[in-house]
């Protein structure tokens, strides 16, 4: 079991490697751990509409985590 970050969280070891690809409004994180039987990635989407105060008054981000068994 690992924490999906690069630092240990409580009893969970950190992922040893993380790659990042990003271009607004979509970012992709890929976590690498050869000892785990899954490939894990996370896409983060920011639906901000610049200059549209009415539709962007509540900030948010949409996270999609994918785990693919090897």
């Amino acid at each position: 079991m690992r924490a999906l970050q690069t630092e240990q969280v409580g009893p969970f070891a950190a992922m040893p490697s993380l790659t990042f690809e990003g271009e607004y409004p979509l970012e992709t994180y890929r976590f690498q751990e050869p000892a785990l039987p899954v490939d894990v990635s996370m896409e983060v989407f920011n639906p901000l509409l610049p200059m549209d105060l009415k539709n962007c008054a509540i900030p948010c981000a949409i996270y999609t985590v994918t785990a693919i068994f090897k």
Side-chain angles (χ1 to χ4, degrees), residues 3-22:
L4 290 181
Q5 54 191 43
T6 55
E7 294 186 19
Q8 182 171 342
V9 177
F12 303 114
M15 298 295 269
S17 179
L18 169 69
T19 58
F20 171 80
E21 298 173 18

Side-chain angles (χ1 to χ4, degrees), residues 12-49:
F12 303 114
M15 298 295 269
S17 179
L18 169 69
T19 58
F20 171 80
E21 298 173 18
E23 187 172 322
Y24 182 82
L26 184 66
E27 296 84 32
T28 302
Y29 298 87
R30 288 188 176 79
F31 302 92
Q32 287 100 22
E33 169 55 273
L36 292 178
V38 295
D39 291 326
V40 179
S41 64
M42 179 172 61
E43 289 185 349
V44 182
F45 174 71
N46 179 346
L48 176 71
L49 302 170

